[in-house]
Amino acid sequence: PTLLNSLEVYTPPQILTEYQGCPDGINGERNISFIHGLGGSIASWSKQAKFTRDTFRAASFGVDYTSSSYEVSFDEVGIEVNNDIGTRVANGVDQLYPNRCRNNDFAIAHSQGGLASRHLDRYWDLHNSTYGTRKYYGLVTFAAPHAGADISLTRESHKEFVQQAVSAVVLAPLNDKIYDLTGSVGYLFGVSATDLLNNLDTLIKNQLAPLMLSSVHTPTLDEMRPNGPQMNAINNHHSRLHKVAFYGVEDAPECWKVMTSFTDTASEDYPLWGAQPDHYFQERMEKVQDSHIASIEENESNIKKWKRLQVGVNILFPIISVPLTNALWTKKAVEAENQNKHRQKAIDFLNNANTEWRYLIGSYHRDSVTTTTETKHKVMWQEKYGWGSRWYDQERKGFDNWWEAQAHYNNVNVYRKRNVQLSTYTETKTVRKFYPSDGVILVKSQKAFPGVGKRTDKMTDNNHFQERNSTETLRVMEKLYHGDYDPFFKIERRKK
């Protein structure tokens, strides 16, 4: 796939003179339209819009448009945004100030909303009658993928990631209330918990993942493909808007914070400026991992116990009990071993989830791959669980040195063990160049707003969903309304 290799390709050869705004002395009562992103709603900016109109001399409101259906595209979004702004302005600030100058109006947009706003600006300049008259003359973006969103190239991988994420936590114990989807997922599909677990991976990937991702797997996501026709049309347009771009950089494990949208608090549900890193969700995932590890250890202990019981009963009552014990304890052991395989897959996923997520969203450069080879140690032995039992082969890998491998063997507590062998092997790992992101959008894409120049600001420790409602958002909005980035956006404070 085409990657975001440079920002220059998105810089137009000519930057036109930006709109002049309203002349001094003319009624400049202005309107600010807050535009949400993919999967959002009018509530996404509601608190910030209220803060703006209560604190500064401006009308402001959230824009309402469809963003979660399979059919939505930039064309539909543009029409809905245009119509909604027109209706709200006509019934609001225009009604109060019928002769006002509208050239000071601007929009503030998050994520996909930033691209939809630029798409609408382009069609206004092309005098497309479907989109009516121009509604704003400046645009402020938060975390908009101005150079495109690489995630649009990895839809199947996205489903696979969701499948692994849900599969990793679905066996968490119900009484601990860590994160158990067995009941709710079974309810969605009309299946029992047992059937769900038996067909877990296939069921989640083919049915649950598309359901969970329906709001993001839309035509607009395809249109945001880097270097695609829609992105090139938007980026090659010589916009005259006043522009400011805010971009978030999230250095902590992004995956868990992004996954809160599956089960947890949306940004608009926080108190104003109260969106904070959701550390407790990561703690819950760590509890899930601990639960898997403990269950594997318990299952392994039970498997050994069942095998010892089977050996003892078979010796004492060889004719009557062999079929019974084989059927009973073999079934139990097989079930426990299968569950352990599932739990081990879950542990492996939880260990690598953040790296996989970064790869999924393009934070790792697919064309800059190097490999490293590490020497690891493994230990092999045989063990038995009772007199008359057969010997079972065992192997454990992944130790950093000989002493760790030997210590593991020494700590194995069974009836008898023998033939220990320590050896080395090599593991080859893939290492990719890392591009910073906000957990969803690459920083270089957020900053690639043609014509924005130096009117950008970095929001540290902000993931994609916090960028509407964190203390950093308050900081940059205060500076924006003070005119620090561009005097066009300066707004007078209301008198207390």
Side-chain angles (χ1 to χ4, degrees):
T2 304
L3 297 169
L4 312 179
N5 293 319
S6 69
L7 304 185
E8 286 72 25
V9 67
Y10 297 110
T11 302
Q14 177 185 4
I15 305 297
L16 300 183
T17 303
E18 293 170 333
Y19 293 107
Q20 294 304 302
C22 297
D24 292 338
I26 294 181
N27 189 341
E29 189 71 27
R30 67 202 309 178
N31 179 72
I32 305 171
S33 303
F34 284 84
I35 304 172
H36 64 79
L38 184 62
S41 71
I42 192 171
S44 299
W45 281 114
S46 59
K47 293 185 178 71
Q48 297 84 344
K50 184 178 186 302
F51 161 80
T52 297
R53 62 179 176 267
D54 288 350
T55 310
F56 299 89
R57 295 192 58 179
S60 63
F61 52 78
V63 176
D64 191 19
Y65 73 89
T66 303
S67 67
S68 57
S69 72
Y70 282 104
E71 293 76 25
V72 72
S73 68
F74 279 136
D75 282 339
E76 283 80 11
V77 168
I79 293 171
E80 289 192 45
V81 169
N82 175 73
N83 292 342
D84 196 63
I85 294 177
T87 299
R88 293 175 189 274
V89 168
N91 295 332
V93 66
D94 275 2
Q95 196 171 52
L96 293 173
Y97 304 93
N99 298 317
R100 75 184 185 93
C101 170
R102 297 172 179 81
N103 289 16
N104 280 344
D105 291 355
F106 63 92
I108 296 178
H110 176 249
S111 193
Q112 175 209 259
L115 294 186
S117 303
R118 291 176 57 199
H119 173 86
L120 186 52
D121 167 58
R122 173 172 173 262
Y123 271 87
W124 280 332
D125 281 348
L126 294 175
H127 304 291
N128 187 310
S129 59
T130 304
Y131 296 86
T133 57
R134 175 171 290 280
K135 303 296 191 299
Y136 46 78
Y137 297 83
L139 177 60
V140 180
T141 63
F142 285 77
H146 292 295
D150 222 11
I151 195 171
S152 61
L153 304 176
T154 54
R155 183 170 300 188
E156 288 306 311
S157 297
H158 199 182
K159 291 180 182 178
E160 181 74 23
F161 183 87
V162 171
Q163 177 264 305
Q164 292 180 74
V166 177
S167 179
V169 297
V170 76
L171 287 178
L174 195 61
N175 57 342
D176 287 346
K177 295 182 180 178
I178 295 173
Y179 181 22
D180 191 306
L181 287 180
T182 306
S184 58
V185 176
Y187 172 77
L188 281 173
F189 300 133
V191 297
S192 68
T194 302
D195 290 338
L196 175 63
L197 295 179
N198 288 340
N199 303 282
L200 184 67
D201 293 347
T202 301
L203 194 63
I204 293 174
K205 183 176 181 180
N206 294 337
Q207 296 187 50
L208 179 62
L211 183 68
M212 296 174 74
L213 298 171
S214 62
S215 65
V216 296
H217 285 171
T218 65
T220 49
L221 195 62
D222 294 326
E223 292 176 355
M224 284 191 280
R225 177 170 55 87
N227 289 320
Q230 186 64 264
M231 285 308 307
N232 285 343
I234 292 174
N235 279 307
N236 290 326
H237 174 61
H238 300 176
S239 172
R240 296 181 61 191
L241 291 170
H242 289 262
K243 309 165 189 72
V244 175
F246 300 127
Y247 61 98
V249 181
E250 176 57 78
D251 296 322
E254 306 96 332
C255 164
W256 304 128
K257 297 177 183 179
V258 173
M259 284 176 59
T260 58
S261 63
F262 292 172
T263 60
D264 239 305
T265 309
S267 177
E268 56 264 28
D269 296 330
Y270 285 97
L272 184 61
W273 319 125
Q276 298 295 330
D278 210 339
H279 296 302
Y280 87 93
F281 187 81
Q282 183 172 348
E283 292 171 1
R284 287 163 70 188
M285 292 299 99
E286 290 169 353
K287 288 182 180 179
V288 170
Q289 189 170 19
D290 292 341
S291 172
H292 284 308
I293 293 172
S295 295
I296 287 176
E297 291 175 352
E298 182 181 357
N299 282 342
E300 288 181 341
S301 175
N302 286 334
I303 290 169
K304 292 176 181 178
K305 178 182 70 176
W306 294 327
K307 289 179 178 178
R308 283 196 298 268
L309 287 171
Q310 184 176 347
V311 170
V313 174
N314 286 351
I315 292 172
L316 294 174
F317 308 101
I319 298 176
I320 299 175
S321 59
V322 167
L324 178 63
T325 57
N326 284 345
L328 177 62
W329 287 315
T330 299
K331 182 180 179 182
K332 283 179 172 289
V334 168
E335 288 178 349
E337 287 170 349
N338 287 338
Q339 190 185 104
N340 278 0
K341 289 178 182 177
H342 176 89
R343 291 188 182 278
Q344 187 58 53
K345 283 173 60 179
I347 293 169
D348 294 340
F349 170 79
L350 293 167
N351 281 333
N352 298 291
N354 291 304
T355 298
E356 290 300 314
W357 178 257
R358 285 178 170 180
Y359 177 78
L360 178 67
I361 66 172
S363 285
Y364 281 109
H365 194 317
R366 294 174 177 85
D367 292 343
S368 299
V369 177
T370 58
T371 57
T372 60
T373 301
E374 297 180 353
T375 299
K376 293 288 186 178
H377 293 72
K378 66 179 179 180
V379 56
M380 296 180 292
W381 71 96
Q382 290 180 310
E383 60 185 41
K384 63 189 306 184
Y385 311 120
W387 183 83
S389 167
R390 73 178 182 86
W391 289 95
Y392 292 91
D393 294 327
Q394 298 289 353
E395 179 184 83
R396 291 294 184 273
K397 302 173 69 176
F399 301 103
D400 290 329
N401 52 59
W402 182 91
W403 295 275
E404 287 183 5
Q406 181 67 52
H408 178 84
Y409 173 77
N410 292 341
N411 289 330
V412 173
N413 184 19
V414 291
Y415 174 73
R416 189 171 296 172
K417 54 187 178 182
R418 69 180 186 185
N419 296 340
V420 60
Q421 298 179 49
L422 299 174
S423 60
T424 60
Y425 67 99
T426 58
E427 278 188 359
T428 301
K429 294 185 177 180
T430 301
V431 180
R432 301 176 183 88
K433 181 179 179 181
F434 174 64
Y435 286 156
S437 75
D438 66 359
V440 175
I441 305 296
L442 301 188
V443 165
K444 65 191 311 181
S445 184
Q446 298 178 59
K447 294 168 65 177
F449 193 174
V452 73
K454 295 181 179 180
R455 289 167 296 183
T456 61
D457 202 335
K458 176 181 177 181
M459 300 169 64
T460 58
D461 299 322
N462 264 229
N463 73 43
H464 192 73
F465 304 103
Q466 294 163 339
E467 283 173 48
R468 297 187 303 268
N469 198 19
S470 72
T471 53
E472 279 286 272
T473 313
L474 174 60
R475 177 184 68 82
V476 298
M477 289 185 74
E478 290 272 14
K479 289 182 65 177
L480 176 76
Y481 296 150
H482 192 259
D484 291 357
Y485 304 105
D486 182 338
F488 175 83
F489 298 100
K490 185 174 182 178
I491 309 176
E492 189 179 337
R493 282 185 177 269
R494 295 190 186 278
K495 295 180 180 179
K496 295 183 179 180

